[in-house]
Amino acid sequence: MRYRLLSALVASAAAVAKAAPAATTTYDYIVVGSGPGGGPLAADLARAGYSTLLIEAGGDEGDNPTYADIGNFNEAANDETTRWDFWVKHSDDPARDLKFQHNTWDTGDGTFYVGLDPPADAKLLGIQYPRAAVLGGCAMHNAGVCSLPADDDWDIIVKKTGDKSWAAENMRQYLKKIEKNEYRPAGEAAHGYDGWLATSVADNSWAKNDSLPGTKILKELARLTGQDPADAANLVNRDILEEGKKVDETTSFYNMATHANSKGKRSSPNNYIRATLADPAKYPLTVKLHTLVTRVLFDTTAANATKGAVPRAIGVELMEGASLYKADPKHAAGTKGPVSQVLAAREVIVSGGAFNSPQILKLSGVGPAAELAKFKIPLVKDLPGVGENLGDNYEGSLLALGAAPVESGLITLLFRTPSAPTKKRNIYTWCGAFSFEGFWPGFPTYHGPTQYSCAMVHMGPKSQAGSVRLLSADPQDKPDINFRFFEHDGDKDLHELAEAADILREAWKAAGAPVAPLAEQHPCLGGKDAKCTDAAQAEYFKLQAYSHHATSTCAIGGDDDKMAVLDSKFRVRGVRGLRVVDASAFPVVPGAFPSCPTMMLSAKAAEDILADAKKEGKAC
Ligand SMILES: Cc1cc2nc3c(=O)[nH]c(=O)nc-3n(C[C@H](O)[C@H](O)[C@H](O)COP(=O)(O)OP(=O)(O)OC[C@H]3O[C@@H](n4cnc5c(N)ncnc54)[C@H](O)[C@@H]3O)c2cc1C
Ligand SMILES: *[C@@H]1O[C@H](CO)[C@@H](O)[C@H](O)[C@H]1NC(C)=O
Ligand SMILES: *[C@@H]1O[C@H](CO)[C@@H](O)[C@H](O)[C@H]1NC(C)=O
């Protein structure tokens, strides 16, 4: 008879489990995604004493030299250990996208074909857009370039929302808070020296050597951009994170700063999270790796019962296992993991990045009503802006082959082209003996020992018409991502890129023997003299531009803006207990590189969330 008793007990336990699904553990905060948005935030919340669960789809590669040594960034972005491949569109015109030289095709035999002439049976994948699923997010595979937005890119949030805490002069404090500057003398007001994010610069003493071809190009570039060629060797050490009123209008060389320490070790949220876990203070931070969040859970009881009440985020549903997301090249078809739920007594913060945060919101019932209805996702809140407003820097490069190796260090230049719409500089470029032409499996192409390139990042794109939309209600599926490059005022942005190319190309002429003439490969085969018109260059950039700084898909906006997803405190509009903190929150593309700005935004979010917690009282 003991048998029966036992099975009766088991049966009733199962019934209980069914009625109240395994929602066992409760944390104060749950943060989804450990990149520049979510990683530092989770650490900050735990350090303030709140129990915090940080959920990350990837693993921890902090000790892996591919990731830990910043010089391996190309290898890191190609590495299947962490890579999520999104295959994106650049426009609504498939014929136009087919002209992108690095389109990628699945050959069916486990290899990719990259190019314009695929084998007959190959299946088009699209334009590769790598992301890193790993503790620390894309800050673990990026080049670590650390750069600040123009003041206007912060101030626009003040204009949109009235919240003065977003003013550029106030945002500087967050850089100071997180920064551990290793390249400026101690005590400069613009910088922080005891934060968790190491910043450093390269040794630019090469620029003192006048006989290097790179120095000759540098001096000519100085002349062409209104700088003193005689001062070029000093200007290449100018502080790119400098503070000042007219900085955004300044055309100058700089020393490129990276989020790495002076020994070449990458610095990212990974370090901060690990330091928080290892701290003797035993902060209440729990990190759950290899776990895919499938949706946010809401309590709709009050909203249904009381007029004016809104749904409240109470936790997340998750699926445990590695490589569950179909963007992961290691994903095996049909693989699933155990599904469970975790509760948040205070808040859920979604920080999955510009592609995944809008996807998670939509899967949870927060997004454009018609799109959710199409996939039979019960509507929690109709928010038409979720997944829209996708923006990115337009990037393009000039590539040449020298008659001999072009000895040079890295020239970093921020400048304004003649037709830029405001007085602000609009191009961030870096030139040197490398090649960078965008992303595809196996990038970049090595063009031999004489390759020389200027890579350009265009700032302030006039169009943010891209979107991230669901292809299904399956959380393991990738969404449909279309950047719709150059959709609005594209001609103007393309003209600015062509103007920039003209200036850089002109400077190459000064390279001298034995490397001159530099034989341009693109945008103009043979250079400007070989019938390279503005129109031809614009056409080249329109078809070949690439990008890797996606932002703005859950944008902060004003109360009267129906496309606003967040208020100025990162709260998702129309629900309670839910925020989005990552690069998707920026209403406009923040300068040339989003990584440092996103970490600043994360530090601000921590402060805003903790201020709210203090108001509500610590006890839950
Ligand atoms: C190849 C490359 C190079 C770059 N180089 C630079 C550079 O030099 N300088 C610069 O400033 N910027 C660079 N960037 C961009 C920069 O790294 C990103 O803008 C930045 O990391 C964005 O931070 P985020 O927190 O918004 O998102 P992410 O960094 O994408 O982090 C999101 C995290 O959430 C996790 N996640 C997503 N969905 C889920 C889910 N459902 N469940 C659990 N976890 C989830 C992901 O695994 C990821 O770890 C580069 C980007 C790429 C791809
Ligand atoms: C300058 O560069 C040239 C060419 O590489 C090299 O031969 C020379 O030694 C360098 N001079 C100094 C002072 O480093
Ligand atoms: C609230 O109403 C919606 C729509 O009718 C329903 O799907 C949901 O289950 C309700 N919530 C509760 C807690 O009853």
Side-chain angles (χ1 to χ4, degrees), residues 32-38 55-58 77 84 129-139 141-147 259 291-294 351-354 356-357 360 439 443 475 548-551 581-584 592-598:
V32 182
S34 66
I55 306 174
E56 169 55 52
W84 274 6
Y129 200 113
R131 304 298 284 175
V134 66
L135 190 68
C138 295
H141 77 165
N142 70 12
V145 178
C146 183
S147 167
H259 49 83
T291 303
L292 184 74
V293 168
T294 52
S351 306
N356 291 91
S357 285
I360 294 167
F439 299 94
F443 81 96
H548 57 314
H549 302 155
T551 62
V581 178
D582 61 21
S584 32
F593 291 92
S595 190
C596 280
T598 306

